[in-house]
Amino acid sequence: IDAMCKIRETIKPPIEFSIQEIHGGNDEYVIPDHCYFRLDLVFPPEIGSSDVKSAVLGILNEFDAKVRIEEIADGFVSSDEVCSLLEKAIELAGLNAEYGVMPSWTDAINLKRAGWDVVVFGPGELQFCHTERERIAIDEIVKAKEVLKAMNGIL
């Protein structure tokens, strides 16, 4: 817990992380001598993953932690060209474009690495994704369908 708090307090600008898993000890009533935790770190594209990695490893080294990095990726800002195409499709579907930040990993990272010009778009409420409150209203799916139809017409 101290290591996670230090990550949150030390790295500037602050990065976000979610605790994906934490456990230690066993079923016996014994204070565990070690703990395992898995974090998903999210940071804006202007901060490089190598900088975050160095900072986090430096902090965890103070706790004599064993670290395994499963995946690391830099973020990106979608190009004006792909954003303009999507915005036009959204407007043709009779909706208003709203821009934001995707505060999580998506397959867009893989597509970007492969050289594609990508933007993340979809129905639903981002704050509820992958939580017990995740849901998508039918009318949101219908709106997304109309945007995709408009995009097909543009392309």
Side-chain angles (χ1 to χ4, degrees):
I1 299 298
D2 290 342
M4 288 185 273
C5 288
K6 188 156 187 181
I7 290 170
R8 184 178 308 279
E9 295 165 0
T10 304
I11 299 177
K12 302 294 180 206
I15 62 171
E16 296 293 322
F17 66 81
S18 62
I19 301 169
Q20 301 290 305
E21 183 179 357
I22 186 169
H23 63 82
N26 55 40
D27 291 340
E28 298 174 16
Y29 189 66
V30 176
I31 296 173
D33 61 350
H34 67 278
C35 173
Y36 165 86
F37 64 88
R38 183 167 51 99
L39 301 179
D40 179 27
L41 297 108
V42 179
F43 44 93
E46 55 272 7
I47 300 175
S49 60
S50 60
D51 294 334
V52 173
K53 177 182 171 182
S54 295
V56 170
L57 289 177
I59 291 166
L60 293 176
N61 189 48
E62 294 174 26
F63 291 88
D64 198 29
K66 295 177 184 174
V67 178
R68 183 177 80 216
I69 297 173
E70 293 186 9
E71 184 171 353
I72 189 166
D74 284 315
F76 64 91
V77 175
S78 298
S79 75
D80 289 342
E81 181 181 358
V82 73
C83 288
S84 293
L85 281 171
L86 180 57
E87 186 173 332
K88 184 175 180 182
I90 289 169
E91 289 172 357
L92 285 172
L95 304 168
N96 294 318
E98 296 178 24
Y99 288 87
V101 174
M102 183 62 190
S104 181
W105 183 92
T106 72
D107 282 321
I109 292 285
N110 295 331
L111 295 169
K112 185 72 171 173
R113 284 180 180 161
W116 291 76
D117 192 7
V118 296
V119 62
V120 176
F121 160 80
E125 297 172 85
L126 187 56
Q127 70 268 24
F128 299 127
C129 286
H130 308 296
T131 71
E132 61 189 28
R133 296 180 65 199
E134 182 173 27
R135 63 197 181 276
I136 301 175
I138 298 295
D139 68 313
E140 291 289 318
I141 295 170
V142 171
K143 289 175 186 176
K145 175 196 72 156
E146 293 303 320
V147 172
L148 294 174
K149 281 176 43 181
M151 180 64 78
N152 282 336
I154 293 169
L155 297 176

